[in-house]
Amino acid sequence: MTSACHAAAKVGSLLGFFWRQFGDDFRNLSKRSLLNQEKICYRKASSIVFLRMRWVVFLRAVNVGSANRCQPALIAKELAKFGVVNIGAVGTFVVREDVTELVLRAAIAKKLPFKCEIMICPAKEIVDLAKENPLKGEAGNDIDAHVTILAKRPTKLPKLPIYAPSKDKWEIRISRVVETAVLSLRRRIENGRLYPNQIVEKLFSTPATTRTWNTIEKVAKILRENSKEI
């Protein structure tokens, strides 16, 4: 046998010895590591499922004037299996049970007797927005805070704030964008004609729907009461 073969045999023998002595320890350590990784992944997956499976729904241009008339309270009742709670008369729903966005969107569209833009936001986004309350202290007796929900997240943001019709005589001030939510202030003045939604839709070139800050707070309250995880 050559010296190279002798050396290889020695190495093999040493490896065999170490594996017999410490193999069980390595295997147990590996198992514990995998179990810990599985636990971490499970916790992360559970969190992701939670964030993505509870929703807030906003319908665009519902029950405004004589067009697009429906009964949001009845829709919520018919979708009770999803834990849907109706807020107000213009199509705002809190969805408290687990459901995919695709299934939820289809279920709501089926209940509407007309075509309508349906904005769906993860519950946590709305709760976090209400908790942060970015416009706190800026609203007052003649200034209302609003949140406009975009149909899709903007790819590019304009320089903010934006005033309409002008900075000196503004009725609407677009202050901030968080995910698909555009935050604004509306100053109530005599003969004022502007509303946040029309300004936001023109600015971002996408369908949108607007709610008062009070509505956002109501939504967040229901979600917090329904789950300790948010």
Side-chain angles (χ1 to χ4, degrees), residues 52-55 82 95 97-104:
R52 296 188 61 179
M53 300 299 280
R54 289 173 173 80
W55 311 93
F82 300 138
V95 182
E97 297 297 331
D98 290 345
V99 58
T100 66
E101 181 180 357
L102 187 64
V103 169
L104 178 62

Side-chain angles (χ1 to χ4, degrees), residues 35-165:
L35 284 173
N36 288 335
Q37 290 177 18
E38 288 177 359
K39 288 178 181 178
I40 292 170
C41 290
Y42 176 78
R43 287 196 297 268
K44 289 183 177 179
S46 299
S47 177
I48 291 170
V49 168
F50 176 77
L51 296 183
R52 296 188 61 179
M53 300 299 280
R54 289 173 173 80
W55 311 93
V56 182
V57 179
F58 303 92
L59 305 183
R60 180 183 182 275
V62 166
N63 292 338
V64 179
S66 59
N68 293 352
R69 306 297 298 181
C70 69
Q71 301 180 53
L74 179 60
I75 292 174
K77 185 176 180 180
E78 292 176 345
L79 297 178
K81 64 180 179 180
F82 300 138
V84 176
V85 177
N86 173 60
I87 299 176
V90 296
T92 306
F93 304 105
V94 176
V95 182
R96 300 174 297 175
E97 297 297 331
D98 290 345
V99 58
T100 66
E101 181 180 357
L102 187 64
V103 169
L104 178 62
R105 187 179 296 276
I108 292 175
K110 190 175 180 180
K111 298 297 179 181
L112 295 170
F114 49 81
K115 288 186 177 181
C116 173
E117 290 285 348
I118 303 172
M119 286 66 162
I120 301 179
C121 300
K124 192 173 186 301
E125 284 186 11
I126 301 301
V127 172
D128 288 348
L129 183 64
K131 184 178 181 180
E132 183 183 356
N133 194 1
L135 298 178
K136 184 178 180 180
E138 297 192 52
N141 293 331
D142 61 344
I143 299 178
D144 299 323
H146 292 78
V147 176
T148 301
I149 306 298
L150 301 171
K152 59 182 179 180
R153 184 179 301 180
T155 56
K156 186 177 180 180
L157 297 180
K159 186 178 179 180
L160 301 174
I162 290 175
Y163 300 86

